Amino acid sequence: YCRAFIVMHCRESPKVAARLRNLGVEYRQFLLQWWMTCFAHILPTPLASRAWDVLVVRGLEGLFQVTLGVMNALSKQLMILTWEDIMQQMTHLDEHLALIDMDKVLSYGLKAEVNAADVAIIVDTPLPDIPEGQEDVWLVGKEVPAALGLRVQLRSDLESQGHGTVTQVDSNGQGTVVVTWDNGEEHSCRAGLKEEFWLHPLSQAKQELT
């Protein structure tokens, strides 16, 4: 579920998500703490209870939406702090409550596009078993299915964007995906449209989203 949340965060806040990845921030180090206590560990009861209302009504989608709202409230800090300061803030959020306006957290979060079906796909889809050094043999949409959360790179004959994460897959079978690159940019890429395949999947060792 941490992996699924990262995909949603890349979709909603690509530049913040890119910075956290480039710094080596591991989401699970704070997400599990937030989720296992339903935010009670990081928010005082009057604020946490408002999150609980959302969780009761919306379930898993609500959990992700509240989390996205909290991440958005912290976004300015996440763009300037060091790795050490980010981890301190995220694991001791109760010491930084001045940054949390619950009205804004819920207003942003409840507008975020979170679909339980997408989460299930990410959780249930196995990572491609591609050995290191053989990525160029495989094409996304051909040998490897285009899937949410898949880590990819452009073919060597295209202008490199580095590595990225598939954050949207077209639902009408047209053979395109949206990739959020690790530089914070987003592009639509062909994965079968007009028999064009632009993407290689990264090796299994590089597929992990933290």
Side-chain angles (χ1 to χ4, degrees), residues 94-161:
D94 54 315
E95 300 175 7
H96 302 274
L97 292 178
L99 300 171
I100 305 297
D101 180 328
M102 208 60 188
D103 289 331
K104 292 181 179 179
V105 165
L106 296 181
S107 176
Y108 178 91
L110 295 178
K111 293 176 184 176
E113 183 182 347
V114 177
N115 187 304
D118 286 349
V119 174
I121 289 171
I122 297 166
V123 171
D124 295 337
T125 301
L127 298 177
D129 185 14
I130 299 172
E132 191 80 29
Q134 295 189 23
E135 297 98 323
D136 290 354
V137 178
W138 307 79
L139 289 167
V140 175
K142 195 172 185 180
E143 291 87 2
V144 175
L148 290 169
L150 187 68
R151 294 283 291 162
V152 296
Q153 61 187 356
L154 284 168
R155 292 191 336 240
S156 59
D157 58 319
L158 300 175
E159 183 178 354
S160 176
Q161 296 291 326

Side-chain angles (χ1 to χ4, degrees), residues 1 3 15 22 29 37-38 65 73 78 83-84 93 104-105 117 137 139 145 152-154 167-168 186 193:
Y1 289 93
R3 178 183 177 86
K15 293 192 181 300
N22 292 328
Q29 291 189 11
T37 64
C38 292
Q65 288 174 319
L78 296 177
W83 180 91
E84 291 83 1
L93 195 56
K104 292 181 179 179
V105 165
V137 178
L139 289 167
V152 296
Q153 61 187 356
L154 284 168
T167 53
Q168 295 184 55
E186 289 185 301
L193 180 65

Side-chain angles (χ1 to χ4, degrees), residues 5 59 77 86 89 103 141 168 173 192:
F5 178 79
Q77 296 294 308
I86 287 174
Q89 179 173 279
D103 289 331
Q168 295 184 55

